[in-house]
């Protein structure tokens, strides 16, 4: 079956969908990267939005974000780590959407599920009059991953040097150096984003990315 030919419906998720979310987390992420039930409940209580692509009895993918009045271009005010980033309460007026989880079931990777979820978030942001869509991009080729539970990305010494230099100097490297990483390249090609800055120790549990995350942005007003 070609998953691109199947119109998997997308809908907003709520507390009743927590079992589906927990099962997807276990299927898609290595244990250190999985969100707990407590964390998911807390995020929903903070007013976060979660959209899910539903394929029969399975959650094929999800995108989770918070709506915030924060200006993501002011780095000094940007959350310093993932826990803070994924725990911002919803605030108004909505200036940006901070996405912290774009998750696709392994069986549905390579389909249009991620694109459709991103488009759903974008449409939602435009309806609210938001200016920015923000994402925290994993950069797995920093250290590489080869275990069955990871995304099978080879380590790239040149990319690692690029991230280290960016972190040390604060100077953003050329785009072609950033998108040597396949996950960041996917974000750029699918999302049409730009890259703002690299955040050290943002997600220390993510050893494949060296704890780094690359913050991406799409300007909805451009």
């Amino acid at each position: 079956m070609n998953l691109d030919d199947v119109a998997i419906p997308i809908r907003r998720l709520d507390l009743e969908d927590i079992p589906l979310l927990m099962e997807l987390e276990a299927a898609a992420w290595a244990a250190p990267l999985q969100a707990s039930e407590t964390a998911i409940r807390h995020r929903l209580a903070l007013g976060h939005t979660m959209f899910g692509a539903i394929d029969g009895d399975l959650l094929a993918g999800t995108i989770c974000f918070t709506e915030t009045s924060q200006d993501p271009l002011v780095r000094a005010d940007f959350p310093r780590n993932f826990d803070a980033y994924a725990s911002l309460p919803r605030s108004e007026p909505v200036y940006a959407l901070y996405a912290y989880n774009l998750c696709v079931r392994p069986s549905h990777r390579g389909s249009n599920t991620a694109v459709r979820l991103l488009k759903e978030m974008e449409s939602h942001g435009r309806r609210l009059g938001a200016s920015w869509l923000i994402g925290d991009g994993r950069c797995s080729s920093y250290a590489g991953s080869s275990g069955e539970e990871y995304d099978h990305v080879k380590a790239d010494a040149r990319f690692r040097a690029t991230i280290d230099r960016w972190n040390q100097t604060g100077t953003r490297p050329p785009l072609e150096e950033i998108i040597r990483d396949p996950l960041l390249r996917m974000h750029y090609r699918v999302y049409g984003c730009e890259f703002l800055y690299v955040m050290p120790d943002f997600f220390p549990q993510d050893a494949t990315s060296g704890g780094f995350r690359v913050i991406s942005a799409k300007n909805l007003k451009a």
Side-chain angles (χ1 to χ4, degrees):
M1 179 176 63
N2 185 345
L3 291 170
D4 284 338
D5 295 334
V6 179
I8 299 175
I10 293 177
R11 64 170 174 83
R12 188 161 181 165
L13 305 176
D14 56 29
L15 286 170
E16 293 183 356
D17 296 302
I18 285 180
L20 290 177
L21 284 160
M22 293 300 299
E23 192 277 332
L24 176 61
E25 288 281 320
W29 297 119
L33 306 182
Q34 293 173 22
S36 67
E37 180 176 344
T38 299
I40 294 172
R41 288 184 178 276
H42 180 59
R43 291 163 184 170
L44 287 169
L46 290 170
H48 291 195
T49 300
M50 301 182 184
F51 288 123
I54 311 295
D55 189 1
D57 295 331
L58 292 175
L59 187 57
T62 187
I63 191 164
C64 308
F65 55 91
T66 186
E67 301 155 7
T68 180
S69 58
Q70 188 175 93
D71 185 346
L73 303 185
V74 181
R75 180 169 180 177
D77 294 339
F78 198 81
R80 294 186 178 276
N81 56 51
F82 182 83
D83 286 342
Y85 176 71
S87 300
L88 285 177
R90 186 186 187 278
S91 57
E92 293 185 340
V94 178
Y95 187 65
L97 306 185
Y98 283 9
Y100 54 83
N101 186 14
L102 174 60
C103 178
V104 176
R105 182 177 295 275
S107 60
H108 289 69
R109 291 172 186 169
S111 71
N112 62 5
T113 301
V115 176
R116 293 183 62 234
L117 287 166
L118 283 164
K119 292 297 184 184
E120 189 72 25
M121 181 179 72
E122 181 176 341
S123 296
H124 182 80
R126 291 186 186 280
R127 287 193 296 269
L128 293 176
S131 296
W132 294 96
L133 303 183
I134 302 299
D136 70 308
R138 296 183 65 211
C139 46
S140 296
S141 54
Y142 183 88
S145 59
S146 57
E148 290 182 1
E149 73 274 24
Y150 290 102
D151 34 20
H152 304 282
V153 176
K154 292 182 179 180
D156 183 335
R158 178 171 159 184
F159 176 78
R160 181 171 186 143
T162 293
I163 292 295
D164 287 341
R165 186 163 53 250
W166 191 0
N167 180 48
Q168 291 164 5
T169 66
T171 301
R172 182 171 55 190
L175 176 62
E176 59 268 22
E177 294 298 315
I178 300 173
I179 60 175
R180 286 178 63 88
D181 180 89
L183 296 177
L184 297 179
R185 184 165 61 249
M186 183 275 287
H187 278 263
Y188 175 71
R189 290 179 175 174
V190 170
Y191 191 35
C193 63
E194 59 183 300
F195 298 102
L196 298 181
Y197 31 79
V198 64
M199 299 291 291
D201 299 319
F202 198 73
F203 202 129
Q205 304 95 310
D206 187 3
T208 65
S209 298
F212 289 104
R213 290 293 169 95
V214 176
I215 305 304
S216 63
K218 181 168 184 176
N219 187 349
L220 296 182
K221 302 296 188 180

